[in-house]
Structure formats: C-alpha cells, structure tokens
Amino acid sequence: MLGWTQQKILKIAMEQSAVDLSCQPEDFLKEENVIVHSGASGNERKYLKLPFFCNLVSYGNNVVASIDPEVMHIVKDYLERYDKVHCFETPNMQVLNDAFQKFGYRICFMAEYFLPELSALKPWECGYELRILQKEDFAPLYTGQWDNALCKDRKELDVLGVGAYDGSNMIGLAGCSADGKDMWQIGVDVLKEYRRQGVASALTSHLALEILKRDKVPFYCAAWSNIPSVRNAVRSGFLPSWVEMTAKEETYVDELNKV
C-alpha cells in the first residue's frame, strides 16, 4: 500500500463529499454546523440525483447540510435544536420528516459509510479459490444473484471484482463501481449455503487491496441495522467514517415501499 496514509484516504473522502454537497472539505472539520445550497457540478458520485432537497452528512465533528433554499429555516432550526448525533436518529429525525411532508418530501435514506483502516486491512483467506475479475468478466453475472456486487442499471461503472469459487462454481462475489473520480464503492454477495465461513471478508479485503493498488480509495456502505454487513466491513479492515441522511420525494419513497 505504498503511498497511502490514513490522512490521505480521509482527505480524498472529504473532498468527494464536498463535491457531492457543494461545500468545502474543511467544512466537515468545523465544530459548528454548516448549511449550504445544493447544486450539481457533474463530479458528484454517479448514483446521486442532485440537487438535494436535504442531505445531512457528518464525519463526527459537526453536521453539514446540503439543502434546497426553501427549507433553510427548517433545517437551521433542526440543527440548532438537536445534538449532531441525534440529528440522524429517531425520535428527533421525525421532527424533520414531519416538516418536510408539507413540501412533498420524506426522510428516505440513512446509511453509514466505511473507509479502510490501513493498520487492520489485510488479505483474509476463506479456504476457497479467489480470482480477480475484470469488467469483461461481468457480462454473464447480471442475473439478479449478485445485485449487491454489481449494478445492472449502471454496468458501465462496474470496473473490478473478486470472485470466490468452489470448484468451477462461483459462490461469492465482491465488485466495485467507479462512483467517484477517486473512490470506488464495494458491494458483496455470498450464496446462502456458504455464509458464515469468512467468504465475504476474504472477498472484501482482497478487493479493497486491489483498489488501493489502482490508486483509488475503496469505500463501503451499510445501513447501521444491517449487522452482518457492518460486521463484514469491520472484519475486512474498514471502520465507520461518515454518516448520511437524505430526504426524497414522497412518490419515490412510496414506490420503494411498494417493492
């Protein structure tokens, strides 16, 4: 991992978050909360739909809010009223959700993001053969079985993977998408009958190291209630680095709930 330091990894992540939120990287290090107007630059993470109505981000120091100017007074009051930790959880989050409904929006996505901890990251083994996969190897894999590792709707972003094999059969897959200029997001799937054998952490750790070799920062996202995914992140050598909470249109939320 020549050339990588923990400080460099965090700096790149904050720079990408600053692009996503239309703020400055140093805003995440301030003690006071920061509110900015959301806008699109073309360099944001590829899966984001900008501008945000409201997106809250914290790297642990404060809260940076990227918003529609129409809700400035609501978000400002919310951030002043509650501690940064409680801004991302119930019951306080319900206050923001209730206020947004008059605009046709609701709180939708809440997630925790992980970055590699260099002192903990190492290539775990699982007893199964691991193979590095390139973009051209993914074509037959968009079957629905590997939907966490690969994204059928954004095939062009899937750039690298590691597969686990029991003989000739693939039993697990970690893939990464080039979601940011310098950051690739990892997703992983393991067949049910092969879980709890260390396959996920072997795939995740090997892929993270391959990403770093390509001079990109691997990152990993999980809902904090998804205990298996969080445990895999930590065992693979990742630690929590930032959290996000995003409001979306009510129609979008309703559509997700139908599924």
Side-chain angles (χ1 to χ4, degrees), residues 14-23 39 41 43-45 50:
M14 287 185 175
E15 288 173 345
Q16 182 62 60
S17 290
V19 171
D20 299 341
L21 271 64
S22 302
C23 68
S41 69
N43 295 316
E44 58 271 5
R45 279 175 284 162
L50 299 183

Side-chain angles (χ1 to χ4, degrees), residues 11 18 74 76 111 118-119 132 143 147 154 184 202 230 243 248:
K11 179 175 181 289
I74 294 173
K76 184 174 185 293
L118 296 178
S119 62
I132 305 298
T143 61
D147 281 353
R154 297 192 298 272
W184 292 358
V230 172
V243 293
K248 301 288 285 185

Side-chain angles (χ1 to χ4, degrees), residues 160-193:
L160 186 67
V162 177
Y165 293 83
D166 185 357
S168 60
N169 298 319
M170 178 181 283
I171 61 156
L173 174 66
C176 64
S177 55
D179 291 332
K181 180 174 69 72
D182 297 309
M183 299 185 72
W184 292 358
Q185 181 170 194
I186 292 177
V188 61
D189 290 291
V190 178
L191 297 184
K192 187 175 182 179
E193 58 269 31

